[in-house]
Amino acid sequence: MEAAQSTAKTRLLKKQRRLGSEFRGRLLVMTAAIIIIISTLSITAFLTAKGIQTFINGDVGLSEFLTSSQWNPTAENPQYGALPFIVGSLSVTLLSALIAGPLGIAGAIFMIEIAPSWGRKVLQPVIELLVGIPSVVYGFIALTVVVPFIRNTVGGTGYSMLAGVIVLSVMILPTITSIATDAIKSQPDELRDGAYALGATRWQMIRKVVVPAAKPALFTAIILGMARAFGEALAVQMVIGNVRDMPGGVLDPSATLTSIITLNMGHTTYGSVENNTLWSMGLVLLAISFLFILIIRYLSARRNA
Amino acid sequence: MNAKFADKLATTGFIAVALIFVAILASLFGYILVQGLPHISNSFLTTPSSIVRAGGGIRDQLFNSFYILFITMLFTVPLGVLGGVYMAEYAKPGKVTDFLRICIEMLASLPSIVVGMFGLLLFVNTFEWGYTIIGGALALTIFNIPVMVRVSEEAIRSIPRAQQEASLALGITKWHTIKTVILPAAFPGILTGAILASGRVFGEAAALLFTAGLSTPQLDFANLNPFAANSPLNIFRPAETLAVHIWSVNTNGIMPDVKEIALGGAAVLVISVLLFNIGARFIGKIIEKKLTAGK
């Protein structure tokens, strides 16, 4: 009797311990989730607070910062117009998306529709390896190969927006391709069979059926590539020339928000006006990357509807 | 133009694009390996770098890269796996889960330089740590969490529901099931993801520029006291990594052999990333085989 009681007791105690560990487990995973939320919120809060300092202190007007093309922080009458860098960032991003977008989607179509067996076997690892190459290596190769090539063929120093666009296109190509591949693969085979049954050739089927059906997802792929190009710092900084003037054409040297931040953050005194404007540029980067996420969420909502 | 001809033309176009992909990869790797391998020697890997003279190596930078990677994974793996468990097993559809998902998406698409700026603001200036290994590792953790969460969540979701239900049907509680059934089964997938993420950390530079810094003190590898300023293990010392070194010699380097250092360093970096990539696949497959060999 006593023995039975004690086993019952230990069993009950054991059960309690089990439930205690159940609670601890839930607590543990909740903590991880909360840490993720807190870090996202604090990045936004800290960078916003620091980025708007320039405008709160009244050193630079918001409209001057966003619309003036004069950047002369060390002159006697310092000027803080960030427009050339905003334009530089947006133009390299758009141009590299224009090059890498069609190429990436074509690569995806090749893998899924043209050569599904060996195409995937060869291209899949190629894409994964391209993703894995560090951005400083891309920048370094561009510096030693692309810049001299431009210098020798079209003249100038070679440091140009074109060099930046070339390196970014190669960098975002794998991103676009892998997402586009998923998008095209997820199209049901009924679509393809239907098109063939109507007598379409493969190209007609791809162009008129598969690509339109996958359109929102393909746009998502391109937007993600653009987000990557917009935020890339070091590779672009190495080849773009980093001048403060408004770029006149793709062969001119130029600068982006990221390249100016990279170069000047270490040289300027923390808390000085010039340093604060760099944080404002960081805030612009943050705002635009939020914008990219909004666009992607909008596209994926349309896809699911 | 008739439809058949257009079809042939398009097919040729697609094949050309595929060839462009392969050509890009081959020329990138070919260039780095052919040009870089001759500069990798024992003395290149084992001598400290020099700021002004030729003949400097990459010993300290290489060590820093591995050390920062190690500290980063110490934070990233537990946090990412627990986050993945939450997403796959505990998250109920609703506002909180939606918000968490948006947070993860946001972290995933943040430019790495923005993460670096956050690290500069918080760790370097607000906490007044200065440029430190721990600051760099925490910045890289932020940068890597979304990848690790997604990998873990996918690995957990890919486990057959029946396996989990069998455990629950035996009266095993949920957390215990997760610990003893789900996580072991998801282990190969999580490990593969962690190794691939390591490759990414190893080559990352922009986020480290403002957090771990552009310099390394004179390291004394005999001094293993983690609180000494010249100890390699001290996490409160500045540490330039290999990727940052390649960037900085190309941008500000004044030594006469900048190009050789950059080529050798880039080759070491690319080979390391390649090894991470192959290693992930290889180890994942071996463990998968071990776990399923029973039947």
Side-chain angles (χ1 to χ4, degrees):
Chain A
M1 188 69 188
E2 212 159 84
Q5 244 173 6
S6 81
T7 30
K9 205 172 174 184
T10 45
R11 244 192 237 155
L12 278 173
L13 279 176
K14 210 173 168 188
K15 172 113 184 167
Q16 226 163 25
R17 212 165 51 226
R18 195 58 70 66
L19 284 178
S21 99
E22 198 65 16
F23 175 73
R24 274 205 304 281
R26 182 176 284 270
L27 198 69
L28 219 53
V29 294
M30 291 286 269
T31 313
I34 289 168
I35 290 176
I36 293 170
I37 292 180
I38 289 177
S39 35
T40 316
L41 291 180
S42 54
I43 288 177
T44 318
F46 271 87
L47 287 179
T48 309
K50 184 75 188 157
I52 58 174
Q53 209 119 74
T54 325
F55 314 117
I56 289 180
N57 292 350
D59 300 319
V60 185
L62 180 62
S63 66
E64 183 197 343
F65 181 74
L66 291 178
T67 58
S68 159
S69 61
Q70 297 302 314
W71 175 259
N72 267 318
T74 50
E76 212 164 299
N77 289 316
Q79 289 168 302
Y80 299 99
L83 188 64
F85 315 136
I86 298 175
V87 170
S89 277
L90 291 176
S91 27
V92 291
T93 303
L94 280 174
L95 288 173
S96 51
L98 278 180
I99 297 174
L103 271 181
I105 291 172
I109 292 174
F110 175 82
M111 275 201 281
I112 303 298
E113 307 289 350
I114 312 279
S117 57
W118 66 267
R120 278 193 79 91
K121 241 177 235 156
V122 175
L123 280 198
Q124 194 80 29
V126 166
I127 289 163
E128 280 168 20
L129 287 176
L130 283 175
V131 176
I133 297 180
S135 64
V136 286
V137 175
Y138 279 113
F140 169 64
I141 296 178
L143 183 67
T144 50
V145 180
V146 179
V147 169
F149 179 77
I150 294 176
R151 181 165 48 219
N152 295 336
T153 48
V154 293
T157 58
Y159 293 98
S160 57
M161 195 188 267
L162 179 65
V165 169
I166 291 174
V167 65
L168 283 177
S169 305
V170 177
M171 287 180 74
I172 67 175
L173 187 59
T175 312
I176 295 178
T177 313
S178 60
I179 302 167
T181 306
D182 291 341
I184 290 171
K185 196 167 65 178
S186 70
Q187 300 309 318
D189 269 338
E190 285 83 7
L191 282 183
R192 301 184 177 94
D193 297 340
Y196 284 138
L198 290 173
T201 62
R202 183 163 65 186
W203 170 234
Q204 286 169 329
M205 182 275 290
I206 292 168
R207 194 166 54 113
K208 301 251 169 75
V209 178
V210 170
V211 169
K215 212 170 175 185
L218 295 179
F219 272 121
T220 305
I222 293 177
I223 301 282
L224 276 171
M226 285 172 72
R228 196 170 168 212
F230 193 77
E232 172 47 44
L234 302 189
V236 177
Q237 185 275 323
M238 286 160 98
V239 299
I240 203 166
N242 301 298
V243 297
R244 56 175 186 232
D245 301 322
M246 203 67 159
V250 286
L251 293 172
D252 287 352
S254 171
T256 63
L257 292 167
T258 51
S259 73
I260 290 296
I261 295 172
T262 313
L263 273 186
N264 295 324
M265 193 56 106
H267 301 302
T268 52
T269 324
Y270 186 71
S272 66
V273 181
E274 186 183 357
N275 187 270
N276 280 345
T277 55
L278 295 178
W279 289 98
S280 306
M281 290 183 205
L283 184 58
V284 173
L285 275 180
L286 190 72
I288 294 190
S289 79
F290 282 179
L291 191 70
F292 281 129
I293 298 167
L294 283 180
I295 298 173
I296 291 166
R297 287 191 78 83
Y298 169 74
L299 286 173
S300 72
R302 258 191 33 185
R303 187 160 73 228
N304 295 336
Chain B
M1 191 161 59
N2 75 27
K4 277 221 169 109
F5 180 68
D7 183 56
K8 280 223 171 79
L9 205 65
T11 306
T12 320
F14 285 122
I15 292 173
V17 169
L19 289 177
I20 290 176
F21 274 71
V22 178
I24 288 176
L25 184 84
S27 52
L28 285 175
F29 271 90
Y31 182 79
I32 280 297
L33 294 181
V34 169
Q35 302 270 320
L37 278 179
H39 299 293
I40 303 178
S41 63
N42 208 18
S43 75
F44 182 66
L45 294 176
T46 55
T47 48
S49 62
S50 163
I51 302 173
V52 282
R53 266 172 298 134
I58 53 165
R59 180 191 70 180
D60 298 348
Q61 283 76 15
L62 198 57
F63 174 81
N64 289 338
S65 290
F66 279 109
Y67 195 44
I68 287 189
L69 169 64
F70 172 72
I71 308 264
T72 304
M73 292 325 261
L74 228 50
F75 296 119
T76 308
V77 171
L79 214 58
V81 172
L82 287 174
V85 170
Y86 179 83
M87 294 309 276
E89 297 291 332
Y90 286 95
K92 295 188 191 75
K95 282 220 168 74
V96 181
T97 307
D98 276 351
F99 186 63
L100 182 59
R101 232 176 243 294
I102 295 179
C103 282
I104 293 172
E105 262 173 57
M106 251 155 76
L107 286 182
S109 61
L110 276 185
S112 67
I113 190 172
V114 168
V115 177
M117 289 174 86
F118 173 69
L120 175 65
L121 197 53
L122 192 65
F123 308 130
V124 180
N125 290 327
T126 309
F127 294 171
E128 297 188 342
W129 289 350
Y131 294 122
T132 57
I133 289 184
I134 181 80
L138 287 172
L140 287 180
T141 302
I142 295 176
F143 178 69
N144 248 308
I145 280 293
V147 182
M148 210 55 229
V149 169
R150 212 196 48 230
V151 167
S152 310
E153 188 188 348
E154 270 168 26
I156 290 169
R157 281 192 198 281
S158 70
I159 297 163
R161 227 47 220 167
Q163 206 165 331
Q164 186 181 352
E165 277 158 11
S167 167
L168 292 172
L170 289 173
I172 315 272
T173 56
K174 184 169 182 175
W175 177 245
H176 207 67
T177 304
I178 290 172
K179 266 201 309 196
T180 53
V181 177
I182 297 179
L183 283 182
F187 182 69
I190 294 175
L191 184 73
T192 310
I195 300 177
L196 285 176
S198 301
R200 235 167 67 107
V201 172
F202 200 76
E204 175 53 40
L208 290 174
L209 229 50
F210 304 147
T211 50
L214 284 165
S215 63
T216 301
Q218 284 283 329
L219 293 184
D220 173 11
F221 279 84
N223 186 352
L224 295 181
N225 171 10
F227 301 105
N230 64 348
S231 163
L233 297 182
N234 186 349
I235 54 170
F236 284 98
R237 65 172 173 90
E240 185 189 44
T241 64
L242 187 54
V244 173
H245 189 58
I246 294 173
W247 176 78
S248 91
V249 295
N250 273 308
T251 309
N252 317 307
I254 48 166
M255 47 284 223
D257 56 345
V258 164
K259 197 169 174 202
E260 285 76 18
I261 295 175
L263 273 171
V268 172
L269 205 59
V270 166
I271 292 171
S272 311
V273 171
L274 210 62
L275 288 179
F276 277 119
N277 216 298
I278 298 167
R281 253 145 269 278
F282 190 67
I283 296 174
K285 249 182 211 147
I286 288 185
I287 295 183
E288 188 98 60
K289 231 179 222 164
K290 269 223 166 108
L291 282 181
T292 50
K295 68 173 182 182

